[in-house]
Amino acid sequence: MGRGKLRIYLGAAPGVGKTYAMLAEAHRRVERGTDCAVAFVEHHDRPRTEAMLDGLERIPPMELTLQGAALAEMDVDAVLERRPAVALVDELAHTNLPGARNAKRWQDVEELLAAGIEVISTVNIQHLESLGDVVESITGVRQRETVPDEVVRRADQIELVDMSPQALRRRMAHGNIYKPDKVDAALSNYFRPGNLTALRELALLWTADRVDEYLQQYRGEHNIRTTWQARERIVVGLTGGPEGRTLIRRAARMAAKGSGSEILAVYIARSDGLTSASPKELAVQRTLVEDLGGSFHHVIGDDVPSALLEFARGVNASQIVLGSSRRKTWQYVFGPGVGATVARDCGPDLDVHIVTHEEVARGRGLPVARGARLGRSRITWGWLTGVAGPALLAVLLTHIDADPGLANDMLLFLSLTVASALLGGLAPSLASAAFGSLLLNWFFAPPLYRFTIADPRNIVAIAVFFGVAVSVASVVDLAARRTHQAARLRAESEVLSFLAGSVLRLGVPPAERGGETALDALLERVRETFSMESVALLERASDVEPWTRAGSVGRRPVARPEDADVDMPVGDHMALALSGRVLPAEDRRVLGAFAAQAAVVLDRQRLVGEAEEARKLAEGNKIRTSLLAAVSHDLRTPLAGIKAAVSSLRSDDVEWSEEDRAELLEGIEAGADRLDHLVGNLLDMSRLQTGTVTPLIRAIDLDEVVPMALGGVPDGSAELDIPESLPMVEVDKGLLERAVANVVENAVKYGLGAAPVLVSASAMADRVELRVVDRGSGVPDEAKDRIFAPFQRYGDAPRGAGVGLGLAVARGFVEAMGGTITAEDTPGGGLTMVLTLKAAVPAAAPHVPPLEKAGPP
C-alpha cells in the first residue's frame, strides 16, 4: 500500500473560494466514479458553500466539549475505517480541540496519507509558518494557527485560488463571507485593499517559488544543464564602469515586454583585491536596478566569462546583457574580451545581447591591485613569448634559404624580448634577452653550433644586443608601471572624490540624501571596494576599556583590532578592522580615507541623536508654555464660575429661593467636576511627558471597565455593545478607564447629538479592538493624527471646552499598555476611534470559532 497523494487549494485570503473549489473538484471526481467522502468541511454558514455539500457523502464528525460547549472535530478513526479513495479535509492549519487524536489537523492528514488515502485540503497563505511575521507586519494580526511550510511543499499538487481585492471586498459587502453585523468591521480592518493586495502578492510569489522548485528538481533529476526559458530571467553583466546604467535600463525595457520577467545585475570581482570599478558607480547601479524591481549580486571569480556563465545557468537565466567593450583596438591582441568569450561559450540555451554605449573603445583602466596587475594567463604568455618564442624563431631562421644577416636576426629576437616585457613584465623579458643571446651565439655567430665567437665584432654586437634588450625591457616595464600607477591614482581619486562628496552631503537632511552617509552603508562600501568578508568600526573609551562595535557589516565581524587581517587606527581609541585577506601597503592610503570618513559619519549620527534630544526638550518647553496658557485661561474659567456662585450664596443682600440655591450649588458642583477633569488631564500629561507612567498589567474583562468609563457622559448619549464571549485583555484597569472615558467624552462632545455614541468590541486573533463610533462631522485625513497632539482642539471648539489633552492622554495611556489608538472615518459620516488591546493568553488554548480564525473582521 503506497502513500496517498495530497492536493492543496492555496487561498490568497479568506473568502476567495478555496473550499468551494475543493467541493467542485469532489463533484467532478464523483461524476467520474471516484469514491470521495467529506471528512471535514467548515462552510462558515455560507449558503453557496453549504449547497455544494449536497450530493457528497459526509463522514460524521466527533463531538468534543470545551468550556461546556459541544464542538465538532474530524473523526480520524472513522475516516480510516471508511477508507474512501479521496477524503476532503478543510482548513489544514486548524488546531484541534483538547482530547482530539492529534494537536493539529495537518497531523491528521499525515495519518490519512500514510494509510494510502488521497487527501484534498485547503489553506490560506497567511497560515504558512514562515510568513507569520510578514503577515503580522502587513495586517497587524498574528496568526496562531499555522502549518509548517514543508507540509505544504510536499504536496503533490498546489493550486492557487486567487481573486482581486476589489472583487473580494464586493463579495464581503454582499454578505457572501461574513454575517452582516461583521461586514463593516472586516472591510475597515483585515480586508483593506492594501492588506488584500499584499496577501495576494505573497501567495503569487510563494506559488511561483514552488513552481521554480518543481522545475529545478526535474532538471536535476534528469541532469539537464541547458537553460529552460520557462520564465524570462535577464542577467546584466556589470563592470563598474559608467556604461552600467545604460545596460540596466536596456534590460528593464526588455523585461517590460514580457510579464513576469526578472532582472539580475551581477558584478564579477576578482579575488585578488581592489579592482578598477568605481565603488560610487557600483552603488548607483545597485540602487538603479533595485528601483527597477531587480536584484544586485556580487560574485567573486578570477575568470570573468566563466563566472558570469556559471551564475546565469545557476539562476536559469534566459538572456545575458553585456556592454560593448571599452578596450581600444590594440588591446584585443591580449584576447577577444569578455563579451566575445561569453557569446562563444554560452551555447544555444542563452541569448547574449551586446549593447552599444558612449564609452565604447574609449579605453579602460588596468586592474588596480599591483600584485595582481598581470593575471596568471598574462604572465604565462609572457614566459612563452620570452622563452619559447626565441626557440621557434631560431628554428625558423635556420630552415629558410635566405640569410637575413646577424643584424636583422638580432632585431627579430629583440622584438620577442619587447613582446615578453609587454605581456609578462620584467622577469620574462630578462630571461628572453639572455636566452636570445645564447641562441644568437649558437646558431648565427661563426663558428656555428659552438659557444665561441671567432669575430670580435660579433662579440660586441651580441653584447650590445643583450644590453639593448635589457634596457628596452626595463623601459617597457617602467612604462607599464607608470601606466598602472596612473590608473591606480585615478581609481583612488574617484574614491576620495566620493568621500569628499559625502562630507559635503553631511549637511543635507537624511531624507534628501537617501541615507548615503549612513555608517552601515559606508562600511558596506569599504567591504565591496576591498573584497573583504567583514568590516567593523571599533571604539573604546580609554586604553584599558574593552573594544565595542560602533558598526559592522559582513559575516563574523571581529571584536578586536588584533583579530583582524587589516586594521586602520582612527585616532587613539577608534579603529577600522577588516577580515578576509591582507591588503598590500599601497591600498592602506585609500583605506585610511575610508576610516576617517567612517569616524566622521559616526560623529554625525551621534550629533543627530543629540539634536533629537534637544528637539524633545524644546517640545517639552513648548508644552510647558501651553500649560501656562491653559492654567491662565481654561482653569480660571471654572474657578470664576465657582467663586461667583459661592459669593452669591454668601451674599446677605439677596434672599435666594430653594430652587435658586439648588441651581447655584449645581453650578458649583459642575464647575468643580470640570476643574477636577482638567487638572486630572494636566497631571496625566505631565506623567506621560516625564515617563513616570508605570502600568500594572493584569488580565481583566472589558465589561468591568467600559461601563465605569461612561459615567462622565449624559445618560442616553452612549450605547454599549460588549459581547460576553470576548477574551480578557492584558491592561491596567485604571489607565484603560481614563483612556476610554476621554475618548467617549470627546466623541459625545463632537458627535453633535446626531446619534448616540456606539462603544463596541470585537476579538481578532491575539488582540481585542474597542471601537468608539460617533456620527458627527468627522475629521479630514490630514488631521487624524494631529488631533492626538497635546493642547489641540479641532474645528471651532470654544476655549472653555477644555485644554485639548483628552485624546493625547488617551493615546499615551493606551501605548503605555502596549496597545494602539487610531482614528478612522465612520461609514456614512463621523469619526471612529479604534483602541487595539492585547488579548490575555489563556491557560489552555481554546478552540477558535471558524468565523474568527479564517480571517479576522
Side-chain angles (χ1 to χ4, degrees), residues 7-13 16 18-19 89-94 121-128 145-147 152 158-161 206:
R7 176 170 182 166
I8 293 178
Y9 285 93
L10 178 66
V16 294
K18 60 187 185 301
T19 303
V89 182
D90 203 7
E91 301 292 352
L92 187 64
H94 171 77
S121 187
T122 65
V123 70
N124 281 328
I125 190 68
Q126 68 264 27
H127 294 297
L128 293 180
E145 294 194 331
T146 60
V147 58
V152 182
I158 299 176
E159 183 171 336
L160 178 65
V161 183
W206 195 92

PDB file of all heavy atoms in Angstrom, residues 7-13 16 18-19 89-94 121-128 145-147 152 158-161 206:
ATOM      1  N   ARG A   7      -3.413  17.052  -2.396  1.00  0.00           N
ATOM      2  CA  ARG A   7      -3.689  18.198  -3.261  1.00  0.00           C
ATOM      3  C   ARG A   7      -4.185  19.325  -2.362  1.00  0.00           C
ATOM      4  O   ARG A   7      -5.063  19.114  -1.524  1.00  0.00           O
ATOM      5  CB  ARG A   7      -4.739  17.854  -4.310  1.00  0.00           C
ATOM      6  CG  ARG A   7      -5.133  19.044  -5.186  1.00  0.00           C
ATOM      7  CD  ARG A   7      -5.981  18.609  -6.341  1.00  0.00           C
ATOM      8  NE  ARG A   7      -6.316  19.723  -7.217  1.00  0.00           N
ATOM      9  CZ  ARG A   7      -6.824  19.587  -8.436  1.00  0.00           C
ATOM     10  NH1 ARG A   7      -7.036  18.367  -8.928  1.00  0.00           N
ATOM     11  NH2 ARG A   7      -7.104  20.634  -9.168  1.00  0.00           N
ATOM     12  N   ILE A   8      -3.608  20.504  -2.536  1.00  0.00           N
ATOM     13  CA  ILE A   8      -3.929  21.645  -1.674  1.00  0.00           C
ATOM     14  C   ILE A   8      -4.411  22.803  -2.529  1.00  0.00           C
ATOM     15  O   ILE A   8      -3.784  23.159  -3.540  1.00  0.00           O
ATOM     16  CB  ILE A   8      -2.703  22.076  -0.845  1.00  0.00           C
ATOM     17  CG1 ILE A   8      -2.342  20.992   0.170  1.00  0.00           C
ATOM     18  CG2 ILE A   8      -2.967  23.398  -0.123  1.00  0.00           C
ATOM     19  CD1 ILE A   8      -1.119  21.318   1.005  1.00  0.00           C
ATOM     20  N   TYR A   9      -5.535  23.382  -2.104  1.00  0.00           N
ATOM     21  CA  TYR A   9      -6.007  24.644  -2.685  1.00  0.00           C
ATOM     22  C   TYR A   9      -5.503  25.760  -1.769  1.00  0.00           C
ATOM     23  O   TYR A   9      -5.922  25.878  -0.615  1.00  0.00           O
ATOM     24  CB  TYR A   9      -7.527  24.659  -2.780  1.00  0.00           C
ATOM     25  CG  TYR A   9      -8.063  23.797  -3.899  1.00  0.00           C
ATOM     26  CD1 TYR A   9      -8.430  22.477  -3.665  1.00  0.00           C
ATOM     27  CD2 TYR A   9      -8.176  24.293  -5.195  1.00  0.00           C
ATOM     28  CE1 TYR A   9      -8.912  21.673  -4.687  1.00  0.00           C
ATOM     29  CE2 TYR A   9      -8.659  23.504  -6.226  1.00  0.00           C
ATOM     30  CZ  TYR A   9      -9.021  22.189  -5.964  1.00  0.00           C
ATOM     31  OH  TYR A   9      -9.479  21.414  -6.986  1.00  0.00           O
ATOM     32  N   LEU A  10      -4.591  26.561  -2.303  1.00  0.00           N
ATOM     33  CA  LEU A  10      -3.957  27.639  -1.531  1.00  0.00           C
ATOM     34  C   LEU A  10      -4.702  28.940  -1.782  1.00  0.00           C
ATOM     35  O   LEU A  10      -4.780  29.417  -2.919  1.00  0.00           O
ATOM     36  CB  LEU A  10      -2.486  27.785  -1.932  1.00  0.00           C
ATOM     37  CG  LEU A  10      -1.689  28.894  -1.251  1.00  0.00           C
ATOM     38  CD1 LEU A  10      -1.541  28.607   0.241  1.00  0.00           C
ATOM     39  CD2 LEU A  10      -0.312  29.035  -1.886  1.00  0.00           C
ATOM     40  N   GLY A  11      -5.263  29.517  -0.722  1.00  0.00           N
ATOM     41  CA  GLY A  11      -6.019  30.751  -0.854  1.00  0.00           C
ATOM     42  C   GLY A  11      -5.172  31.975  -0.584  1.00  0.00           C
ATOM     43  O   GLY A  11      -4.339  31.983   0.322  1.00  0.00           O
ATOM     44  N   ALA A  12      -5.381  33.015  -1.387  1.00  0.00           N
ATOM     45  CA  ALA A  12      -4.651  34.260  -1.166  1.00  0.00           C
ATOM     46  C   ALA A  12      -5.186  35.008   0.051  1.00  0.00           C
ATOM     47  O   ALA A  12      -4.455  35.774   0.674  1.00  0.00           O
ATOM     48  CB  ALA A  12      -4.739  35.146  -2.410  1.00  0.00           C
ATOM     49  N   ALA A  13      -6.445  34.796   0.414  1.00  0.00           N
ATOM     50  CA  ALA A  13      -7.054  35.468   1.569  1.00  0.00           C
ATOM     51  C   ALA A  13      -8.326  34.709   1.919  1.00  0.00           C
ATOM     52  O   ALA A  13      -8.856  33.949   1.101  1.00  0.00           O
ATOM     53  CB  ALA A  13      -7.366  36.932   1.252  1.00  0.00           C
ATOM     54  N   VAL A  16     -11.784  33.698  -0.680  1.00  0.00           N
ATOM     55  CA  VAL A  16     -11.547  33.704  -2.128  1.00  0.00           C
ATOM     56  C   VAL A  16     -12.200  32.511  -2.819  1.00  0.00           C
ATOM     57  O   VAL A  16     -12.292  32.489  -4.049  1.00  0.00           O
ATOM     58  CB  VAL A  16     -10.036  33.725  -2.436  1.00  0.00           C
ATOM     59  CG1 VAL A  16      -9.418  35.013  -1.969  1.00  0.00           C
ATOM     60  CG2 VAL A  16      -9.340  32.512  -1.826  1.00  0.00           C
ATOM     61  N   LYS A  18     -11.642  28.881  -1.828  1.00  0.00           N
ATOM     62  CA  LYS A  18     -10.851  27.649  -1.874  1.00  0.00           C
ATOM     63  C   LYS A  18     -11.689  26.435  -1.469  1.00  0.00           C
ATOM     64  O   LYS A  18     -11.564  25.366  -2.063  1.00  0.00           O
ATOM     65  CB  LYS A  18      -9.615  27.779  -0.989  1.00  0.00           C
ATOM     66  CG  LYS A  18      -9.895  28.040   0.477  1.00  0.00           C
ATOM     67  CD  LYS A  18      -8.607  28.317   1.221  1.00  0.00           C
ATOM     68  CE  LYS A  18      -8.875  28.468   2.724  1.00  0.00           C
ATOM     69  NZ  LYS A  18      -9.835  29.574   2.989  1.00  0.00           N
ATOM     70  N   THR A  19     -12.562  26.588  -0.449  1.00  0.00           N
ATOM     71  CA  THR A  19     -13.423  25.471  -0.059  1.00  0.00           C
ATOM     72  C   THR A  19     -14.410  25.148  -1.169  1.00  0.00           C
ATOM     73  O   THR A  19     -14.684  23.976  -1.466  1.00  0.00           O
ATOM     74  CB  THR A  19     -14.163  25.816   1.243  1.00  0.00           C
ATOM     75  OG1 THR A  19     -13.207  26.125   2.269  1.00  0.00           O
ATOM     76  CG2 THR A  19     -15.013  24.658   1.704  1.00  0.00           C
ATOM     77  N   VAL A  89     -10.613  17.352   3.366  1.00  0.00           N
ATOM     78  CA  VAL A  89     -10.295  17.851   4.713  1.00  0.00           C
ATOM     79  C   VAL A  89     -10.052  19.347   4.601  1.00  0.00           C
ATOM     80  O   VAL A  89      -9.051  19.782   4.027  1.00  0.00           O
ATOM     81  CB  VAL A  89      -9.067  17.142   5.309  1.00  0.00           C
ATOM     82  CG1 VAL A  89      -8.814  17.654   6.721  1.00  0.00           C
ATOM     83  CG2 VAL A  89      -9.264  15.639   5.322  1.00  0.00           C
ATOM     84  N   ASP A  90     -10.941  20.139   5.148  1.00  0.00           N
ATOM     85  CA  ASP A  90     -10.830  21.599   5.063  1.00  0.00           C
ATOM     86  C   ASP A  90      -9.908  22.127   6.165  1.00  0.00           C
ATOM     87  O   ASP A  90      -9.688  21.480   7.193  1.00  0.00           O
ATOM     88  CB  ASP A  90     -12.226  22.209   5.216  1.00  0.00           C
ATOM     89  CG  ASP A  90     -12.319  23.593   4.601  1.00  0.00           C
ATOM     90  OD1 ASP A  90     -11.358  24.016   3.946  1.00  0.00           O
ATOM     91  OD2 ASP A  90     -13.365  24.247   4.780  1.00  0.00           O
ATOM     92  N   GLU A  91      -9.373  23.339   5.963  1.00  0.00           N
ATOM     93  CA  GLU A  91      -8.595  24.076   6.977  1.00  0.00           C
ATOM     94  C   GLU A  91      -7.426  23.254   7.501  1.00  0.00           C
ATOM     95  O   GLU A  91      -7.419  22.764   8.631  1.00  0.00           O
ATOM     96  CB  GLU A  91      -9.505  24.518   8.134  1.00  0.00           C
ATOM     97  CG  GLU A  91     -10.660  25.398   7.715  1.00  0.00           C
ATOM     98  CD  GLU A  91     -10.213  26.768   7.222  1.00  0.00           C
ATOM     99  OE1 GLU A  91      -9.021  27.084   7.349  1.00  0.00           O
ATOM    100  OE2 GLU A  91     -11.051  27.515   6.703  1.00  0.00           O
ATOM    101  N   LEU A  92      -6.395  23.107   6.671  1.00  0.00           N
ATOM    102  CA  LEU A  92      -5.238  22.284   7.025  1.00  0.00           C
ATOM    103  C   LEU A  92      -4.509  22.806   8.255  1.00  0.00           C
ATOM    104  O   LEU A  92      -3.890  22.043   8.990  1.00  0.00           O
ATOM    105  CB  LEU A  92      -4.280  22.227   5.824  1.00  0.00           C
ATOM    106  CG  LEU A  92      -3.081  21.296   5.924  1.00  0.00           C
ATOM    107  CD1 LEU A  92      -3.525  19.848   6.024  1.00  0.00           C
ATOM    108  CD2 LEU A  92      -2.157  21.480   4.718  1.00  0.00           C
ATOM    109  N   ALA A  93      -4.541  24.117   8.503  1.00  0.00           N
ATOM    110  CA  ALA A  93      -3.788  24.712   9.615  1.00  0.00           C
ATOM    111  C   ALA A  93      -4.568  24.705  10.930  1.00  0.00           C
ATOM    112  O   ALA A  93      -4.085  25.220  11.935  1.00  0.00           O
ATOM    113  CB  ALA A  93      -3.391  26.149   9.274  1.00  0.00           C
ATOM    114  N   HIS A  94      -5.754  24.110  10.945  1.00  0.00           N
ATOM    115  CA  HIS A  94      -6.626  24.149  12.114  1.00  0.00           C
ATOM    116  C   HIS A  94      -5.975  23.490  13.330  1.00  0.00           C
ATOM    117  O   HIS A  94      -5.280  22.475  13.227  1.00  0.00           O
ATOM    118  CB  HIS A  94      -7.938  23.443  11.775  1.00  0.00           C
ATOM    119  CG  HIS A  94      -8.836  23.213  12.948  1.00  0.00           C
ATOM    120  ND1 HIS A  94      -9.597  24.206  13.507  1.00  0.00           N
ATOM    121  CD2 HIS A  94      -9.084  22.094  13.676  1.00  0.00           C
ATOM    122  CE1 HIS A  94     -10.286  23.708  14.518  1.00  0.00           C
ATOM    123  NE2 HIS A  94      -9.993  22.420  14.645  1.00  0.00           N
ATOM    124  N   SER A 121      -7.169  19.243   0.421  1.00  0.00           N
ATOM    125  CA  SER A 121      -7.305  20.134   1.568  1.00  0.00           C
ATOM    126  C   SER A 121      -7.171  21.580   1.120  1.00  0.00           C
ATOM    127  O   SER A 121      -6.910  21.868  -0.059  1.00  0.00           O
ATOM    128  CB  SER A 121      -6.247  19.802   2.630  1.00  0.00           C
ATOM    129  OG  SER A 121      -6.469  20.548   3.809  1.00  0.00           O
ATOM    130  N   THR A 122      -7.342  22.494   2.076  1.00  0.00           N
ATOM    131  CA  THR A 122      -7.265  23.931   1.805  1.00  0.00           C
ATOM    132  C   THR A 122      -6.438  24.600   2.884  1.00  0.00           C
ATOM    133  O   THR A 122      -6.378  24.137   4.028  1.00  0.00           O
ATOM    134  CB  THR A 122      -8.662  24.576   1.787  1.00  0.00           C
ATOM    135  OG1 THR A 122      -9.233  24.468   3.101  1.00  0.00           O
ATOM    136  CG2 THR A 122      -9.573  23.908   0.786  1.00  0.00           C
ATOM    137  N   VAL A 123      -5.813  25.716   2.513  1.00  0.00           N
ATOM    138  CA  VAL A 123      -5.074  26.516   3.484  1.00  0.00           C
ATOM    139  C   VAL A 123      -4.905  27.915   2.903  1.00  0.00           C
ATOM    140  O   VAL A 123      -4.844  28.085   1.671  1.00  0.00           O
ATOM    141  CB  VAL A 123      -3.699  25.890   3.811  1.00  0.00           C
ATOM    142  CG1 VAL A 123      -2.751  25.994   2.624  1.00  0.00           C
ATOM    143  CG2 VAL A 123      -3.066  26.541   5.040  1.00  0.00           C
ATOM    144  N   ASN A 124      -4.854  28.914   3.753  1.00  0.00           N
ATOM    145  CA  ASN A 124      -4.620  30.291   3.315  1.00  0.00           C
ATOM    146  C   ASN A 124      -3.143  30.627   3.440  1.00  0.00           C
ATOM    147  O   ASN A 124      -2.426  30.083   4.293  1.00  0.00           O
ATOM    148  CB  ASN A 124      -5.432  31.282   4.154  1.00  0.00           C
ATOM    149  CG  ASN A 124      -6.883  31.336   3.723  1.00  0.00           C
ATOM    150  OD1 ASN A 124      -7.183  31.149   2.549  1.00  0.00           O
ATOM    151  ND2 ASN A 124      -7.776  31.579   4.672  1.00  0.00           N
ATOM    152  N   ILE A 125      -2.692  31.566   2.623  1.00  0.00           N
ATOM    153  CA  ILE A 125      -1.267  31.914   2.597  1.00  0.00           C
ATOM    154  C   ILE A 125      -0.797  32.445   3.942  1.00  0.00           C
ATOM    155  O   ILE A 125       0.345  32.239   4.341  1.00  0.00           O
ATOM    156  CB  ILE A 125      -0.984  32.946   1.462  1.00  0.00           C
ATOM    157  CG1 ILE A 125       0.524  33.130   1.256  1.00  0.00           C
ATOM    158  CG2 ILE A 125      -1.644  34.279   1.770  1.00  0.00           C
ATOM    159  CD1 ILE A 125       1.207  31.919   0.704  1.00  0.00           C
ATOM    160  N   GLN A 126      -1.696  33.121   4.701  1.00  0.00           N
ATOM    161  CA  GLN A 126      -1.272  33.711   5.964  1.00  0.00           C
ATOM    162  C   GLN A 126      -1.037  32.670   7.050  1.00  0.00           C
ATOM    163  O   GLN A 126      -0.506  32.981   8.099  1.00  0.00           O
ATOM    164  CB  GLN A 126      -2.289  34.756   6.460  1.00  0.00           C
ATOM    165  CG  GLN A 126      -3.620  34.171   6.894  1.00  0.00           C
ATOM    166  CD  GLN A 126      -4.640  34.236   5.796  1.00  0.00           C
ATOM    167  OE1 GLN A 126      -4.274  34.247   4.626  1.00  0.00           O
ATOM    168  NE2 GLN A 126      -5.906  34.298   6.139  1.00  0.00           N
ATOM    169  N   HIS A 127      -1.443  31.412   6.792  1.00  0.00           N
ATOM    170  CA  HIS A 127      -1.252  30.363   7.789  1.00  0.00           C
ATOM    171  C   HIS A 127       0.057  29.609   7.606  1.00  0.00           C
ATOM    172  O   HIS A 127       0.354  28.726   8.410  1.00  0.00           O
ATOM    173  CB  HIS A 127      -2.417  29.381   7.743  1.00  0.00           C
ATOM    174  CG  HIS A 127      -3.726  29.983   8.171  1.00  0.00           C
ATOM    175  ND1 HIS A 127      -3.934  30.471   9.435  1.00  0.00           N
ATOM    176  CD2 HIS A 127      -4.884  30.195   7.495  1.00  0.00           C
ATOM    177  CE1 HIS A 127      -5.168  30.945   9.524  1.00  0.00           C
ATOM    178  NE2 HIS A 127      -5.755  30.805   8.353  1.00  0.00           N
ATOM    179  N   LEU A 128       0.857  29.940   6.590  1.00  0.00           N
ATOM    180  CA  LEU A 128       2.162  29.308   6.438  1.00  0.00           C
ATOM    181  C   LEU A 128       3.098  29.838   7.514  1.00  0.00           C
ATOM    182  O   LEU A 128       3.204  31.032   7.752  1.00  0.00           O
ATOM    183  CB  LEU A 128       2.736  29.587   5.050  1.00  0.00           C
ATOM    184  CG  LEU A 128       1.972  28.947   3.878  1.00  0.00           C
ATOM    185  CD1 LEU A 128       2.642  29.288   2.570  1.00  0.00           C
ATOM    186  CD2 LEU A 128       1.875  27.453   4.051  1.00  0.00           C
ATOM    187  N   GLU A 145      -2.775  29.917  14.298  1.00  0.00           N
ATOM    188  CA  GLU A 145      -2.912  28.615  13.670  1.00  0.00           C
ATOM    189  C   GLU A 145      -2.064  28.595  12.406  1.00  0.00           C
ATOM    190  O   GLU A 145      -2.366  29.292  11.434  1.00  0.00           O
ATOM    191  CB  GLU A 145      -4.378  28.328  13.345  1.00  0.00           C
ATOM    192  CG  GLU A 145      -5.234  28.179  14.601  1.00  0.00           C
ATOM    193  CD  GLU A 145      -6.582  27.571  14.288  1.00  0.00           C
ATOM    194  OE1 GLU A 145      -7.050  27.783  13.161  1.00  0.00           O
ATOM    195  OE2 GLU A 145      -7.136  26.897  15.156  1.00  0.00           O
ATOM    196  N   THR A 146      -0.986  27.832  12.431  1.00  0.00           N
ATOM    197  CA  THR A 146      -0.054  27.783  11.305  1.00  0.00           C
ATOM    198  C   THR A 146       0.224  26.332  10.947  1.00  0.00           C
ATOM    199  O   THR A 146      -0.004  25.418  11.727  1.00  0.00           O
ATOM    200  CB  THR A 146       1.265  28.484  11.645  1.00  0.00           C
ATOM    201  OG1 THR A 146       1.877  27.836  12.787  1.00  0.00           O
ATOM    202  CG2 THR A 146       1.043  29.954  11.962  1.00  0.00           C
ATOM    203  N   VAL A 147       0.726  26.166   9.740  1.00  0.00           N
ATOM    204  CA  VAL A 147       1.127  24.855   9.251  1.00  0.00           C
ATOM    205  C   VAL A 147       2.563  24.982   8.744  1.00  0.00           C
ATOM    206  O   VAL A 147       2.909  25.983   8.098  1.00  0.00           O
ATOM    207  CB  VAL A 147       0.180  24.366   8.133  1.00  0.00           C
ATOM    208  CG1 VAL A 147       0.153  25.345   6.974  1.00  0.00           C
ATOM    209  CG2 VAL A 147       0.582  22.984   7.650  1.00  0.00           C
ATOM    210  N   VAL A 152       3.189  21.790   3.282  1.00  0.00           N
ATOM    211  CA  VAL A 152       2.547  22.269   2.058  1.00  0.00           C
ATOM    212  C   VAL A 152       3.440  22.014   0.851  1.00  0.00           C
ATOM    213  O   VAL A 152       2.963  21.632  -0.227  1.00  0.00           O
ATOM    214  CB  VAL A 152       2.190  23.756   2.190  1.00  0.00           C
ATOM    215  CG1 VAL A 152       1.481  24.267   0.943  1.00  0.00           C
ATOM    216  CG2 VAL A 152       1.323  23.987   3.418  1.00  0.00           C
ATOM    217  N   ILE A 158      -0.421  21.778  -5.936  1.00  0.00           N
ATOM    218  CA  ILE A 158      -0.823  23.008  -5.244  1.00  0.00           C
ATOM    219  C   ILE A 158      -1.508  23.900  -6.273  1.00  0.00           C
ATOM    220  O   ILE A 158      -0.922  24.227  -7.309  1.00  0.00           O
ATOM    221  CB  ILE A 158       0.378  23.747  -4.628  1.00  0.00           C
ATOM    222  CG1 ILE A 158       1.074  22.878  -3.582  1.00  0.00           C
ATOM    223  CG2 ILE A 158      -0.071  25.065  -3.989  1.00  0.00           C
ATOM    224  CD1 ILE A 158       2.322  23.508  -2.996  1.00  0.00           C
ATOM    225  N   GLU A 159      -2.740  24.255  -5.996  1.00  0.00           N
ATOM    226  CA  GLU A 159      -3.490  25.108  -6.916  1.00  0.00           C
ATOM    227  C   GLU A 159      -3.832  26.403  -6.194  1.00  0.00           C
ATOM    228  O   GLU A 159      -4.426  26.380  -5.110  1.00  0.00           O
ATOM    229  CB  GLU A 159      -4.764  24.415  -7.385  1.00  0.00           C
ATOM    230  CG  GLU A 159      -5.551  25.244  -8.399  1.00  0.00           C
ATOM    231  CD  GLU A 159      -6.685  24.465  -9.033  1.00  0.00           C
ATOM    232  OE1 GLU A 159      -6.598  23.218  -9.063  1.00  0.00           O
ATOM    233  OE2 GLU A 159      -7.646  25.096  -9.485  1.00  0.00           O
ATOM    234  N   LEU A 160      -3.441  27.520  -6.779  1.00  0.00           N
ATOM    235  CA  LEU A 160      -3.689  28.830  -6.188  1.00  0.00           C
ATOM    236  C   LEU A 160      -5.120  29.279  -6.505  1.00  0.00           C
ATOM    237  O   LEU A 160      -5.541  29.283  -7.656  1.00  0.00           O
ATOM    238  CB  LEU A 160      -2.687  29.856  -6.724  1.00  0.00           C
ATOM    239  CG  LEU A 160      -2.866  31.292  -6.216  1.00  0.00           C
ATOM    240  CD1 LEU A 160      -2.614  31.369  -4.712  1.00  0.00           C
ATOM    241  CD2 LEU A 160      -1.932  32.248  -6.954  1.00  0.00           C
ATOM    242  N   VAL A 161      -5.846  29.642  -5.463  1.00  0.00           N
ATOM    243  CA  VAL A 161      -7.196  30.211  -5.622  1.00  0.00           C
ATOM    244  C   VAL A 161      -7.072  31.705  -5.380  1.00  0.00           C
ATOM    245  O   VAL A 161      -6.791  32.144  -4.261  1.00  0.00           O
ATOM    246  CB  VAL A 161      -8.192  29.571  -4.634  1.00  0.00           C
ATOM    247  CG1 VAL A 161      -9.588  30.130  -4.861  1.00  0.00           C
ATOM    248  CG2 VAL A 161      -8.186  28.059  -4.784  1.00  0.00           C
ATOM    249  N   TRP A 206       4.912  33.013  -3.513  1.00  0.00           N
ATOM    250  CA  TRP A 206       5.185  31.712  -2.902  1.00  0.00           C
ATOM    251  C   TRP A 206       4.889  30.593  -3.894  1.00  0.00           C
ATOM    252  O   TRP A 206       5.661  29.633  -4.009  1.00  0.00           O
ATOM    253  CB  TRP A 206       4.332  31.543  -1.643  1.00  0.00           C
ATOM    254  CG  TRP A 206       4.797  30.422  -0.760  1.00  0.00           C
ATOM    255  CD1 TRP A 206       5.659  30.484   0.278  1.00  0.00           C
ATOM    256  CD2 TRP A 206       4.391  29.036  -0.860  1.00  0.00           C
ATOM    257  NE1 TRP A 206       5.837  29.239   0.834  1.00  0.00           N
ATOM    258  CE2 TRP A 206       5.074  28.335   0.159  1.00  0.00           C
ATOM    259  CE3 TRP A 206       3.537  28.341  -1.698  1.00  0.00           C
ATOM    260  CZ2 TRP A 206       4.917  26.967   0.359  1.00  0.00           C
ATOM    261  CZ3 TRP A 206       3.389  26.977  -1.513  1.00  0.00           C
ATOM    262  CH2 TRP A 206       4.061  26.299  -0.500  1.00  0.00           C
TER     263      TRP A 206
END
